[in-house]
Amino acid sequence: MEKIAQSYSDTPFMGAATARIGITDALLQLASRYADRHANADGLAATPVEGVVILREAAPSLLQYAISKPLVALVLQGGKRVTMGSHSYDFGAGESLLITMDVPTVSQITIASRAAPYYSLVMELDAAVIADLAGEMGGQPARLDQPVRVDQTESDVSEAALRLLKLLDRPSSLPVLGKQMVRELHFWLLCGQHRHAIRALGVTDSHTARIARAISILRANYTQAVSVERLAYAAGMSLSSFHAHFRSITTLTPLQFQKQLRLLEARRHMLSDGAAISQAAHCVGYESVSQFTREYTRMFGQPPARSIREMRLQAQSAMKREG
């Protein structure tokens, strides 16, 4: 495997496309070996590197709803579709999903099988690392851009990701080199085609960072009523400006954003913790179970009981196929 991982740099006359394929193959071998050993029932393989996980799915999935944090996902095998608002993105091996803002997404793994599972390497974007790097790299514009994008994975990013994954086979190196490799990945992303949108995450006074401060309050207090005035104050904006920027970035109003957080958390309680519908509803701040049921059905397309039953049946089928 080491020979495969090094082959792209050992052949000086190798074409760029061939080199890219070599790197992707090496990434896939390292990621699949780790994920096959460590993935949990949800297909998530946590790594010792904070903010870095590997996803593995052996079959196409149901629709998955989330309010995603800023991240980059390098797809190594299989295919996926992600929808934000009216925009849908289909992508596969050799491509990357970049999310530069907390936004609601609906995703679905579209290409995966027991013989060829879906694998992707996911890293959360760290605003503090971005701010530090941006300061060292000098002044460049930071601007709000489409918060969800899909493109070919750039070679510098792939090579840095490969060096990071190699550390998983040498755990003693992680305390010394793990953060350094994560920092390097951020650096190459800041050098890439979406550098301006990524840079905005690290600029304290950018609209992206201001709205992010308000979103952090909503995430921490999603079960409680949070006034828009408090959110606008945290963002350092007038009420009208805050409403406009919040919606332009997230596609939702603050109230809709909080509602989705509540429903997603309630769904997690029912699916993972076995909570009853009424228990899950009250746990996330609903006083009326009937209101919770209506809003859950509106968001997920099915009432809670049927939705959870189908998700559990699919999970059981996937486990049987794996076995």
Side-chain angles (χ1 to χ4, degrees):
M1 182 173 296
E2 185 70 11
K3 290 182 180 178
I4 294 174
Q6 290 179 346
S7 63
Y8 69 91
S9 60
D10 292 340
T11 309
F13 302 109
M14 182 181 291
T18 306
R20 188 179 297 114
I21 293 171
I23 296 170
T24 300
D25 287 345
L27 275 168
L28 174 60
Q29 289 193 37
L30 292 171
S32 62
R33 187 176 66 188
Y34 185 87
D36 290 349
R37 291 199 307 260
H38 299 285
N40 61 19
D42 296 322
L44 184 70
T47 75
V49 182
E50 185 177 359
V52 177
V53 299
I54 300 171
L55 299 183
R56 179 189 187 278
E57 289 288 349
S61 70
L62 292 173
L63 295 179
Q64 300 166 341
Y65 298 78
I67 294 183
S68 300
K69 294 183 178 180
L71 58 81
V72 62
L74 282 62
V75 180
L76 309 177
Q77 182 168 275
K80 193 169 188 176
R81 177 181 298 118
V82 170
T83 300
M84 189 200 78
S86 60
H87 300 283
S88 290
Y89 307 85
D90 286 277
F91 51 101
E95 295 180 294
S96 290
L97 168 72
L98 179 67
I99 299 179
T100 56
M101 192 64 208
D102 296 57
V103 291
T105 59
V106 182
S107 62
Q108 182 178 30
I109 292 170
T110 55
I111 302 174
S113 67
R114 183 177 178 182
Y118 170 89
Y119 293 102
S120 66
L121 174 66
V122 181
M123 181 184 74
E124 292 184 5
L125 297 177
D126 189 321
V129 172
I130 292 169
D132 188 42
L133 284 169
E136 294 184 19
M137 294 167 71
Q140 292 183 23
R143 62 171 180 262
L144 182 63
D145 203 350
Q146 179 70 22
V148 177
R149 306 191 69 92
V150 169
D151 285 290
Q152 286 289 322
T153 304
E154 294 173 303
S155 59
D156 290 326
V157 173
S158 294
E159 291 174 21
L162 182 59
R163 287 192 290 274
L164 174 62
L165 285 188
K166 284 183 178 181
L167 297 183
L168 299 181
D169 287 332
R170 305 177 68 179
S172 61
S173 68
L174 287 170
V176 178
L177 298 177
K179 289 184 178 179
Q180 180 178 318
M181 291 292 98
V182 168
R183 181 180 172 86
E184 183 185 350
L185 261 172
H186 279 78
F187 172 80
W188 291 119
L189 289 168
L190 279 167
C191 293
Q193 55 191 319
H194 303 305
R195 57 190 177 277
H196 301 306
I198 296 171
R199 183 176 285 253
L201 285 169
V203 178
T204 305
D205 201 40
S206 70
H207 289 143
T208 301
R210 290 183 178 197
I211 296 301
R213 292 200 292 269
I215 286 175
S216 68
I217 293 174
L218 285 173
R219 283 190 178 275
N221 301 278
Y222 68 90
T223 64
Q224 308 166 21
V226 180
S227 70
V228 179
E229 289 79 6
R230 178 185 174 189
L231 298 174
Y233 178 80
M237 297 178 176
S238 67
L239 281 175
S240 59
S241 178
F242 174 73
H243 271 292
H245 283 102
F246 192 99
R247 184 145 201 168
S248 70
I249 289 174
T250 68
T251 74
L252 301 172
T253 67
L255 182 60
Q256 290 170 334
F257 192 98
Q258 184 183 46
K259 184 183 297 184
Q260 289 205 10
L261 284 174
R262 286 180 172 181
L263 293 170
L264 287 165
E265 183 62 13
R267 192 187 206 197
R268 188 194 67 78
H269 275 303
M270 290 184 289
L271 187 62
S272 301
D273 304 334
I277 295 173
S278 59
Q279 182 183 5
H282 294 310
C283 185
V284 299
Y286 279 90
E287 295 182 1
S288 167
V289 176
S290 60
Q291 180 187 1
F292 166 75
T293 300
R294 285 195 303 273
E295 293 183 353
Y296 185 102
T297 303
R298 191 176 301 123
M299 179 172 174
F300 297 113
Q302 293 178 321
R306 187 189 308 167
S307 170
I308 299 304
R309 183 168 59 249
E310 287 196 5
M311 292 182 71
R312 285 178 176 155
L313 286 173
Q314 189 198 42
Q316 290 170 3
S317 297
M319 289 178 66
K320 288 179 181 178
R321 286 194 297 270
E322 282 285 278

